Amino acid sequence: MGVFFSDGIVANRIQALQMDPQGDTPLEITLENVESALYQLYFDPDMEHKNLAQKWLTHAQASTQAWQFCWALLSPDKLPEVQFFGASTLHTKISRHWSDLPTTEHENLRMQLLSNILHFSSGPKMVLTRLCVALASMALNLIPQAWSHPVADIVQAFQPHKPAHEGAEASPDPHVHCLALLELLVVLPEEFQSSRLTQARRAQLREALAGEWASVCPMLCQLLQSQDSSTLVKEKVLRCLSSWVGLDVPLGESHELVQDCFAVLSDAELFETAVETIVTAISQPDCHRYVEALLGLLPLVLGLHEQLKKAAQDGDMETSHGICRVCVAMGETHSRVLLEQVEHWQEYLALVNMILFCTGIPGYYPVNETTSSLTLTFWYTLQDDILSFEEEKQTVYLQVYRPVYFQLVEVLLHKSHYPSEEEFASWSSDDKEQFRIYRVDISDTLMYVYEMLGSELLSNLYDRLGRQLMDPQQASAWQDIEALLFGFQSIAETIDVNYSDVIPGLIGLIPRINISNVMLADTVMYTIGSLAEWLSDHPVMLGSMLPMVLQGLSKPELSVSSVSTLKRICRECRPDLGPYAQNILTVSQDVLVKEIHKSSQCMWLMQALGFLLSALPAEEILGSLTSLISPHVQHLDSLAQQEPDAANKQSIIHILGMLSSLFTTLDINRQTDSFDGAEPSPPQVAPNPVIVVLQQVFTLIQTILNKWLHDSEVVEAVCGVFDKSVRTLLHDFGPMVAELSEMLGQIYSTFPQSSALDLACQLVHIFAGEEQHVSAIKRLMEVLTAATLDIFQQGPREHPDIAESFMYLHAQILKRKPDWYLSDQLDVKTLFFCGIMSLKFPEAPTVKAAGLFFTQLLPRCKDGCLSDVLQQSGKILTEAILQAVGGGSPRSLTEHFADVLLSLNRYHPVLLNQWLTETLETPGFPSAHVTPEQKHNFSQQLLREQTNKRHVKELVKEFSLLCRGLQGSGHSEF
């Protein structure tokens, strides 16, 4: 502990560290002060002191004195933490400040590093590793001109059983000496991969290092084969190989060493590292060029089959997982190459069957095994490669591999089996979720396999399901039936099965299923849902399916599957649901009143009923709609009379959400669009049923708003009802425009909220062009604008959502009714400044909306009052954009600023030229990182581009990088 100081001295040094390094009395960078700061960093409990020490030490590392004090910190009498900092400082200096060191010092530095690596070869490990990284960084700086063969020289210097040359002391223990050398060889490629290098320098170094492999490989082979090598040495050899293959070392030059790695798989201690090494080696992109090497490795992979089977039998998940990784790496990475080796077709088929064994490994995923999921992508790859061959070749391969894929289907269905209900109940929620995702992956695989196996696959599934359900000799577990339905559903979800001759039979079998538990019932529901399009072409079968769905609707445990299935049927089959409509409405109303389903499922159910009501005869819709929503409107009325509280609030939002969901899909105009062959209905004279209902509940909604006006969630839910109605009804919403506009103005004037602006934006989009609605909407715009301008004058920073919606609203006005901007009622100059303020927000949606506002406004500023506003304020806009691009806003927002600059240049190039010149001539603006010449180049290139949006975005992005000091890419145009 002689290197440290008493608490009093440390306290004094802490005070010194708290001084500003830029101040008059900065703490001197000495060995003593560095050690004191390290003591503070590692042992002081005060986080503020630690942070101060960290900051000062970083400053010290960057100093020229660091070249000297780093060696003193490596002294044998120092604590390991101090030695580690010394080694880290060496690496920092070599990697970041190499140019500070005179060339004459290079040899001395190399010898000191080698000597210290030898000294620390027996530990501490963290110090040894950092010293090795430092030497690796030095080698990267000197290769190839100043140090042509660094690896060969290092190997020579560290020969395990010989003393090192050039005066360096050999370790008394050859074993640790060898480990130190291997550590150095491991970190050299890793340091190369992590270093920031230009593309040309990286290519030069990669080539030079790959050329050094000849010095490394024989030694690694010798160590791995030697009986005298310890487990630790062999592990380092494996890590070394993994590290070097990342340098694109050819498999042809390393395959003998890779072969030796297979022998190590029998060693339990080295198994995991050996697997990682083999997988890394055979997964390199260019391995396919070394066919002979791959064929030499293939028997070694096949030779793992017995070890794999034993591991599966013993429940050894780690071993089976590792061997599976090796098999998949070989089979998937080199599928096409190995398929093309026709004379070795049996060996590759054996590998495919080995992977099939891994897919079907015993146990439930993820509780008993985690291996099978690794194989799924292999089957995609193999199928793609087979189907990519020309037809004649493809036919031959299909004869061999179609039977394998039928086996695969069997295996996948078996792996999708649920465990018993009791066992499944004992699983953790995380295991259940992983199993659900695993089944989704199996489903995707089955869908993909259908492309190869075609209709024969569906016939196969149907025959098996028929035997399970109809053969009295078959003692079927519910899991068998569920898995077969799961297979059907997987295929029917994405493949057009309308022309399959087995679907009618399947529809006939489904009602025969004895639904004994929730998992089976869920799959039955999802299977019916997947056949909704088929049912729309065969409506006669609806009678046997709908009762099952409606029965499931009343069971809370089937909530998600039954509601989603009913929604799909109502969407796809609505022209044919007339005979069943009343029954569907009755059951649905019953489950809604009894609150059987959670809120999200209630929303889905209302969407389903919207599809259903849309298909009813026009004269029946209003009555059915009123009957459906009356209980909920009555409940809403009751809630409106009560004092506000949290429970009431959630109920109100829930009911308003159900109305929104219903009005999203209730579109009677859809009837004539979607009913093929239907007689065109006469023009609608009676008001739209949705409008009738909205007019009836309008007073009730106003009552709710009066009590909840300051609650943004309730206001958003109210606006949602009208927003969904407007989007669905479009011009049919006309009768409500006036009163809704008046209500929106009152809401927003009292308590401004973005949802009201969003709804107003929809009204402008649809009705601003209709003469009878212009005055009401224009008055609304004036009210909303006046209230929002007050917010901007007070400071809008806390309301990015309002700023965003306000910008979108005025962009829509400029698009639909630009002549309103000529009105005396609209303060265009203030709006212009609101746009500039919105551009300065850090939130991307707000900046995007402001950008859209300006790209709509600028083309219309060529004359009149808009031209005057631009003349007066355009320079401020340009300055704000340049400031944002120069670092004032997040870099991800530059494309939105580029859009505004392009619009300025396209419509006002002379003014933009003037404003760019005036703003960019300010020293240090928009950043001290850019020179006057770079600013001039940017300005000239920008002014030359008036049409190519992509090019402008690239220019602005590159200028932004320059301003932030981040260019360093070698592609700067300025």
Side-chain angles (χ1 to χ4, degrees):
M1 292 294 290
V3 297
F4 291 129
F5 313 97
S6 70
D7 290 342
I9 295 176
V10 171
N12 292 335
R13 303 225 176 267
I14 289 171
Q15 295 301 319
L17 285 172
Q18 288 174 315
M19 292 183 180
D20 183 353
Q22 306 303 318
D24 295 332
T25 56
L27 185 64
E28 186 182 358
I29 298 173
T30 65
L31 176 63
E32 183 184 19
N33 288 339
V34 169
E35 289 189 71
S36 177
L38 286 168
Y39 183 88
Q40 181 177 324
L41 176 66
Y42 287 120
F43 303 110
D44 192 318
D46 189 313
M47 283 307 298
E48 186 178 349
H49 289 174
K50 286 179 179 289
N51 290 336
L52 281 168
Q54 176 71 56
K55 184 176 179 182
W56 185 83
L57 286 167
T58 302
H59 168 67
Q61 278 188 321
S63 70
T64 54
Q65 296 95 313
W67 286 108
Q68 282 74 48
F69 72 65
C70 61
W71 298 111
L73 295 177
L74 287 165
S75 175
D77 63 334
K78 307 296 185 186
L79 288 181
E81 291 85 354
V82 175
Q83 294 170 334
F84 176 76
F85 183 77
S88 295
T89 300
L90 260 174
H91 175 242
T92 300
K93 299 305 292 180
I94 292 170
S95 60
R96 300 182 189 174
H97 306 278
W98 179 248
S99 59
D100 296 346
L101 190 70
T103 307
T104 53
E105 292 294 318
H106 289 178
E107 183 60 24
N108 184 44
L109 175 63
R110 179 170 67 157
M111 296 310 301
Q112 282 184 284
L113 276 169
L114 286 168
S115 177
N116 274 274
I117 289 171
L118 284 170
H119 172 76
F120 283 99
S121 59
S122 54
K125 171 73 165 58
M126 61 180 181
V127 181
L128 172 65
T129 300
R130 294 313 294 169
L131 287 170
C132 290
V133 172
L135 183 56
S137 185
M138 180 181 181
L140 295 179
N141 282 320
L142 295 175
I143 294 172
Q145 291 86 355
W147 197 358
S148 54
H149 300 290
V151 177
D153 292 346
I154 290 169
V155 170
Q156 184 63 35
F158 282 81
Q159 278 302 313
H161 301 294
K162 298 175 184 176
H165 67 77
E166 297 177 348
E169 286 186 25
S171 167
D173 183 351
H175 177 255
V176 295
H177 193 169
C178 176
L179 287 172
L181 170 60
L182 290 171
E183 181 68 18
L184 222 167
L185 293 175
V186 167
V187 301
L188 179 57
E190 291 175 350
E191 180 69 4
F192 165 76
Q193 302 289 6
S194 62
S195 295
R196 296 178 65 178
L197 302 163
T198 64
Q199 192 171 355
R201 178 64 175 155
R202 183 170 293 278
Q204 182 187 37
L205 281 175
R206 185 187 296 276
E207 183 181 356
L209 288 172
E212 297 282 280
W213 178 241
S215 302
V216 179
C217 189
M219 184 190 72
L220 298 183
C221 285
Q222 180 186 345
L223 289 171
L224 199 58
Q225 293 169 2
S226 172
Q227 299 295 320
D228 298 328
S229 294
S230 68
T231 299
L232 201 53
V233 166
K234 289 184 177 181
E235 184 181 11
K236 284 283 187 190
V237 169
L238 294 170
R239 282 189 54 213
C240 195
L241 174 57
S242 283
S243 185
W244 278 81
V245 295
L247 297 174
D248 299 335
V249 170
L251 182 64
E253 296 178 18
S254 61
H255 69 280
E256 291 180 5
L257 182 55
V258 177
Q259 288 175 356
D260 291 339
C261 294
F262 279 86
V264 183
L265 289 171
S266 58
D267 186 330
E269 290 184 73
L270 295 172
F271 179 82
E272 189 176 341
T273 310
V275 165
E276 199 65 49
T277 301
I278 293 169
V279 169
T280 303
I282 62 179
S283 300
Q284 292 304 305
D286 69 338
C287 283
H288 66 273
R289 296 194 288 121
Y290 305 97
V291 177
E292 290 304 316
L294 287 172
L295 292 174
L297 294 173
L298 188 53
L300 297 175
V301 178
L302 296 177
L304 299 173
H305 202 174
E306 289 305 315
Q307 189 179 354
L308 172 64
K309 286 196 290 187
K310 186 175 187 310
Q313 186 179 344
D314 297 344
D316 182 352
M317 291 170 63
E318 288 76 15
T319 300
S320 56
H321 192 89
I323 294 176
C324 178
R325 286 187 62 202
V326 173
C327 294
V328 170
M330 176 64 83
E332 186 173 350
T333 311
H334 308 295
S335 170
R336 188 174 186 90
V337 171
L338 294 174
L339 279 170
E340 288 173 338
Q341 309 312 306
V342 180
E343 65 277 13
H344 295 275
W345 71 273
Q346 289 176 308
E347 289 170 90
Y348 187 56
L349 179 60
L351 178 62
V352 171
N353 281 312
M354 199 169 163
I355 296 173
L356 182 62
F357 176 86
C358 294
T359 306
I361 205 156
Y364 291 106
Y365 182 94
V367 176
N368 311 116
E369 63 91 7
T370 56
T371 298
S372 56
S373 62
L374 301 176
T375 67
L376 297 181
T377 55
F378 163 76
W379 299 107
Y380 289 76
T381 303
L382 178 60
Q383 178 175 316
D384 287 345
D385 286 335
I386 290 172
L387 297 182
S388 69
F389 287 119
E390 60 274 14
E391 189 173 347
E392 186 178 341
K393 210 171 189 180
Q394 188 183 123
T395 304
V396 176
Y397 284 114
L398 287 174
Q399 286 177 347
V400 175
Y401 287 101
R402 268 175 64 89
V404 176
Y405 272 82
F406 273 112
Q407 284 180 272
L408 172 65
V409 171
E410 296 262 350
V411 166
L412 291 175
L413 292 178
H414 181 74
K415 291 297 293 183
S416 71
H417 276 200
Y418 280 97
S420 67
E421 292 178 80
E422 297 76 21
E423 185 179 346
F424 193 62
S426 71
W427 285 13
S428 69
S429 57
D430 186 51
D431 285 341
K432 288 178 179 177
E433 176 61 11
Q434 285 194 55
F435 183 64
R436 184 194 68 78
I437 295 170
Y438 176 65
R439 279 173 52 101
V440 171
D441 292 339
I442 287 177
S443 175
D444 292 342
T445 308
L446 288 169
M447 177 272 293
Y448 207 76
V449 165
Y450 180 83
E451 184 183 354
M452 177 182 277
L453 303 182
S455 59
E456 191 179 343
L457 172 56
L458 287 177
S459 300
N460 183 293
L461 294 175
Y462 173 69
D463 291 343
R464 289 178 59 192
L465 183 63
R467 288 196 298 273
Q468 298 275 6
L469 293 174
M470 308 297 288
D471 187 350
Q473 306 300 318
Q474 288 272 153
S476 302
W478 67 266
Q479 289 96 331
D480 297 325
I481 295 168
E482 192 278 336
L484 288 166
L485 287 176
F486 174 72
F488 267 114
Q489 173 211 329
S490 302
I491 296 165
E493 283 288 358
T494 48
I495 305 296
D496 183 4
V497 295
N498 283 1
Y499 302 103
S500 171
D501 55 0
V502 304
I503 301 302
L506 173 63
I507 295 286
L509 287 175
I510 287 176
R512 295 176 174 271
I513 297 171
N514 177 24
I515 301 177
S516 55
N517 63 67
V518 174
M519 284 85 89
L520 177 56
D522 257 336
T523 303
V524 168
M525 288 296 156
Y526 286 127
T527 304
I528 294 171
S530 71
L531 298 172
E533 285 188 46
W534 187 91
L535 288 169
S536 70
D537 290 336
H538 306 82
V540 69
M541 308 301 284
L542 282 167
S544 61
M545 294 291 100
L546 271 173
M548 297 182 71
V549 178
L550 295 178
Q551 189 179 358
L553 208 60
S554 61
K555 297 178 179 178
E557 63 272 19
L558 299 180
S559 178
V560 175
S561 58
S562 60
V563 172
S564 65
T565 294
L566 181 64
K567 180 181 172 182
R568 294 179 75 169
I569 289 175
C570 288
R571 184 181 65 224
E572 302 297 337
C573 308
R574 58 182 180 272
D576 304 294
L577 290 177
Y580 315 103
Q582 195 53 53
N583 194 21
I584 295 172
L585 286 166
T586 301
V587 174
S588 300
Q589 181 67 286
D590 183 56
V591 300
L592 287 169
V593 170
K594 291 178 179 176
E595 299 183 352
I596 286 175
H597 302 290
K598 292 181 180 177
S599 183
S600 56
Q601 277 73 59
C602 291
M603 306 305 155
W604 294 357
L605 184 53
M606 291 303 266
Q607 289 176 14
L609 298 177
F611 286 125
L612 177 67
L613 290 171
S614 301
L616 294 180
E619 63 275 9
E620 295 180 20
I621 295 177
L622 182 58
S624 298
L625 175 60
T626 304
S627 173
L628 173 64
I629 67 171
S630 288
H632 309 292
V633 172
Q634 289 169 12
H635 187 199
L636 195 61
D637 191 24
S638 170
L639 292 167
Q641 309 310 317
Q642 300 173 27
E643 287 304 309
D645 63 36
N648 290 348
K649 172 183 169 179
Q650 291 308 314
S651 297
I652 289 171
I653 290 174
H654 174 73
I655 294 171
L656 292 172
M658 288 203 299
L659 293 176
S660 297
S661 298
L662 178 65
F663 297 154
T664 300
T665 55
L666 205 173
D667 182 8
I668 61 175
N669 295 323
R670 225 185 240 141
Q671 290 178 315
T672 53
D673 294 339
S674 58
F675 296 1
D676 294 335
E679 289 292 322
S681 57
Q684 185 184 333
V685 178
N688 190 294
V690 174
I691 294 297
V692 174
V693 168
L694 286 175
Q695 289 172 331
Q696 289 172 353
V697 301
F698 196 79
T699 304
L700 171 58
I701 287 176
Q702 286 181 310
T703 304
I704 290 170
L705 281 174
N706 288 336
K707 286 194 174 182
W708 293 90
L709 189 55
H710 292 274
D711 190 297
S712 60
E713 292 180 74
V714 174
V715 173
E716 186 175 345
V718 167
C719 290
V721 173
F722 293 104
D723 183 72
K724 295 295 189 293
S725 304
V726 170
R727 289 172 185 271
T728 304
L729 300 179
L730 301 176
H731 296 283
D732 285 352
F733 190 83
M736 290 214 63
V737 168
E739 51 189 333
L740 178 59
S741 296
E742 185 177 350
M743 185 183 81
L744 273 180
Q746 292 170 354
I747 291 174
Y748 196 80
S749 298
T750 309
F751 189 65
Q753 296 187 46
S754 60
S755 53
L757 294 172
D758 295 336
L759 179 53
C761 193
Q762 284 298 316
L763 293 176
V764 170
H765 176 62
I766 296 168
F767 296 105
E770 297 187 8
E771 191 60 38
Q772 66 269 36
H773 301 304
V774 167
S775 60
I777 294 178
K778 188 175 182 184
R779 275 197 308 274
L780 172 61
M781 293 311 106
E782 290 168 356
V783 170
L784 297 179
T785 300
T788 308
L789 292 183
D790 287 341
I791 293 174
F792 271 89
Q793 286 171 0
Q794 295 164 19
R797 183 63 199 93
E798 299 302 314
H799 307 283
D801 56 334
I802 288 177
E804 174 192 346
S805 297
F806 186 61
M807 290 292 104
Y808 276 127
L809 172 61
H810 274 273
Q812 190 65 249
I813 292 171
L814 284 162
K815 196 173 180 181
R816 303 288 292 170
K817 293 294 286 184
D819 55 302
W820 288 357
Y821 264 65
L822 305 177
S823 164
D824 294 337
Q825 304 298 317
L826 214 55
D827 186 347
V828 179
K829 184 173 181 179
T830 305
L831 281 170
F832 197 95
F833 276 97
C834 289
I836 294 174
M837 292 173 74
S838 299
L839 281 174
K840 295 181 178 181
F841 275 65
E843 289 84 4
T846 307
V847 176
K848 182 180 180 182
L852 181 63
F853 166 70
F854 278 114
T855 55
Q856 291 293 332
L857 175 64
L858 292 172
R860 297 174 172 86
C861 291
K862 293 192 173 182
D863 44 46
C865 64
L866 294 182
S867 175
D868 294 341
V869 169
L870 182 64
Q871 294 272 1
Q872 296 165 14
S873 308
K875 180 181 175 182
I876 300 172
L877 170 63
T878 305
E879 187 174 337
I881 291 173
L882 291 174
Q883 189 171 21
V885 169
S889 292
R891 196 154 44 96
S892 57
L893 303 180
T894 52
E895 65 175 287
H896 306 306
F897 302 124
D899 289 339
V900 182
L901 287 173
L902 177 62
S903 190
L904 275 168
N905 195 31
R906 182 178 291 171
Y907 300 104
H908 311 282
V910 176
L911 287 172
L912 178 61
N913 186 10
Q914 174 189 332
W915 295 330
L916 284 172
T917 303
E918 292 172 1
T919 53
L920 289 176
E921 69 183 8
T922 305
F925 181 86
S927 163
H929 288 291
V930 283
T931 64
E933 183 184 1
Q934 288 172 325
K935 290 193 281 187
H936 176 75
N937 288 343
F938 166 68
S939 176
Q940 293 306 304
Q941 291 191 44
L942 179 64
L943 290 167
R944 280 199 295 269
E945 189 54 78
Q946 294 187 333
T947 56
N948 191 324
K949 182 184 287 191
R950 183 184 59 79
H951 190 211
V952 171
K953 287 183 178 180
E954 289 174 356
L955 286 172
V956 174
K957 178 183 176 183
E958 187 65 29
F959 186 64
S960 181
L961 290 172
L962 280 169
C963 290
R964 297 164 201 260
L966 297 174
Q967 72 279 20
S969 59
H971 301 296
S972 176
E973 299 178 36
F974 310 122

